[in-house]
Amino acid sequence: MSVSVRPATIALATLGALTTGFLAYAAYFDHKRRTDPEFRKNLKRESRRIAKVAKEEAEAQGANQKRKIRELVNEAQEEGFPTNVEEKESYFMNEVGRGEVLCQNDKTHVEAALCFFKALKVYPQPGDLITIYDKTVPKKVLDIVAEMVAFDGSIPVGGFGDGPGSDAGGSTGAVDD
């Protein structure tokens, strides 16, 4: 007489054995972590090493992005910008439209920022446009545009103590902390 074992019983037994093994390993790991000082030191050392590598990668990525931003701004300046009023208006609308489309994708934030930067270069009141950008453009893209403006330096942004209505003579109001 043969005894037949159903596939569900085999699967359940296998799952039970795997669960028991996992729980045994977790208990062993926890016991080792709590009682073995050398094991704890190794865990801390590994954690610090991983954090250091992540920090170095983030710094390298930031440096690469700044280099790319400088290259893009230089390329835009070399291409030049329209001087005719109608051409400026058309160029502005085209660049803003492209920037809005590119903003939707996280991978094209630098390209979107370049479009907004180019539009800012031809806009007659850059300070006003930056206020509009502040309300409509995602923060990541806006930060990149700010880096581009800082690198370019030729855009009169205003609001830095030299424009009309600014408090260039110093602050007389109290600062809330």
Side-chain angles (χ1 to χ4, degrees):
M1 187 168 175
S2 110
V3 177
S4 104
V5 181
R6 295 188 323 198
T9 306
I10 294 173
L12 189 58
T14 304
L15 182 63
L18 289 174
T19 303
T20 303
F22 176 75
L23 290 175
Y25 177 75
Y28 167 77
F29 181 82
D30 186 54
H31 172 72
K32 193 85 162 153
R33 180 184 59 84
R34 290 176 187 238
T35 59
D36 189 358
E38 192 61 34
F39 188 76
R40 282 195 307 266
K41 286 180 187 176
N42 286 339
L43 284 176
K44 285 182 184 179
R45 203 173 298 135
E46 185 66 19
S47 175
R48 281 190 217 119
R49 187 187 65 77
I50 290 171
K52 182 180 177 182
V53 167
K55 181 181 176 185
E56 289 172 354
E57 286 177 0
E59 289 174 355
Q61 185 178 11
N64 285 340
Q65 182 171 339
K66 286 186 181 198
R67 180 189 48 75
K68 183 177 181 181
I69 288 171
R70 287 178 188 238
E71 289 173 0
L72 290 172
V73 169
N74 287 336
E75 287 175 15
Q77 290 171 341
E78 288 174 7
E79 289 173 10
F81 299 96
T83 54
N84 185 338
V85 175
E86 290 85 21
E87 289 175 358
K88 281 184 177 183
E89 185 176 328
S90 172
Y91 185 79
F92 172 80
M93 295 304 290
N94 184 36
E95 292 300 322
V96 168
R98 285 183 50 220
E100 288 174 350
V101 170
L102 291 170
C103 269
Q104 306 305 316
N105 186 350
D106 286 344
K107 295 179 182 178
T108 58
H109 279 173
V110 175
E111 290 81 4
L114 181 63
C115 291
F116 289 124
F117 171 76
K118 288 178 176 180
L120 187 64
K121 287 286 283 187
V122 297
Y123 197 74
Q125 299 292 329
D128 295 343
L129 186 58
I130 289 175
T131 304
I132 294 168
Y133 283 172
D134 194 32
K135 295 175 185 173
T136 59
V137 175
K139 181 162 177 25
K140 286 183 178 182
V141 176
L142 190 62
D143 290 343
I144 298 170
V145 172
E147 286 184 46
M148 290 177 169
V149 169
F151 178 71
D152 180 48
S154 69
I155 299 175
V157 178
F160 293 116
D162 59 353
S166 68
D167 188 15
S171 177
T172 58
V175 176
D176 294 330
D177 285 38

